[in-house]
Amino acid sequence: MDMKLSRLFPVVAASAGVLALSACGSGGTTPAASSSTPSVSTSPTATTTVTTATSSPASTPAAPPVAQPADNGLCKSGDVKLSLGRGDAGAGSVFKPLLITNSSAKPCTIQGFPGVSYVAGSDGHQVGKDAFREGTKGNAVKLNPGQTAAADIQFVNVQNFDPGTCQPTAVKGLRIYLPQETASNFVPSDGTGCASTKIPGNQLAVKTVHPA
């Protein structure tokens, strides 16, 4: 072999090796690192069932029963019928008994003075003062159904009073309250009363109840 060729071959071989290495280094591309974010596995959201207690509306307490008044056996306004008996005149007055008849189906008792006053007009307003109570409270009177008690009433002739003081007024009758009773009865009796409460005396007077 020629001496020059023998020297040139190692150089060529070395150059070829360098080129081969260079080609290997530049020809391949390194795969890029995976940038995908690992997926996070989420467990299903737990569904919490909230049970709403359905409360029924609070019941309204029942109203306590209305206390009924005790039956004390006294005659009430609805137990009786009232009327005026025949009168007697004397000393400028007329005296008439107020008749109180038990019209109920049970016995009742009455004792004391009835309340008496004149009334007038369509509204039944009182005229003058209440009747003066004369005498003392009597004994209790028991009235069986159909029985009658009486209370004597004095009707003063108001013409005996000065008209300016009396203020004479036409009346339609009497408002009557039985003893210890708050409801009234009406007894018709046309007449004349004094509207003034300043007359020198009484236009009406009543005595206690007694057996008729």
Side-chain angles (χ1 to χ4, degrees), residues 156-163 166 168 192 194:
V156 174
N157 184 354
V158 298
Q159 302 301 328
N160 295 332
F161 298 116
D162 176 70
C166 172
T192 304
C194 292

Side-chain angles (χ1 to χ4, degrees), residues 75-144:
C75 297
K76 308 295 193 299
S77 62
D79 297 332
V80 299
K81 288 184 178 180
L82 305 182
S83 62
L84 290 173
R86 297 181 61 179
D88 296 321
S93 297
V94 174
F95 297 86
K96 294 182 180 181
L98 172 66
L99 302 177
I100 306 167
T101 301
N102 182 359
S103 59
S104 73
K106 61 182 180 180
C108 65
T109 301
I110 186 168
Q111 181 181 19
F113 300 91
V116 180
S117 62
Y118 280 131
V119 291
S122 58
D123 59 348
H125 64 272
Q126 183 169 329
V127 175
K129 295 190 297 183
D130 295 346
F132 174 76
R133 295 180 176 183
E134 184 179 322
T136 59
K137 182 178 179 179
N139 296 324
V141 179
K142 182 178 180 180
L143 297 178
N144 290 317

Side-chain angles (χ1 to χ4, degrees), residues 5 18 36-37 46 48 54 59 70 73 82 104 108 135 165 175 178 184 186 209 211:
L5 292 174
V18 171
S36 61
T37 303
T48 304
T54 303
S59 58
L82 305 182
S104 73
C108 65
T165 302
R175 178 179 293 124
L178 297 183
S184 65
F186 172 72
V209 173

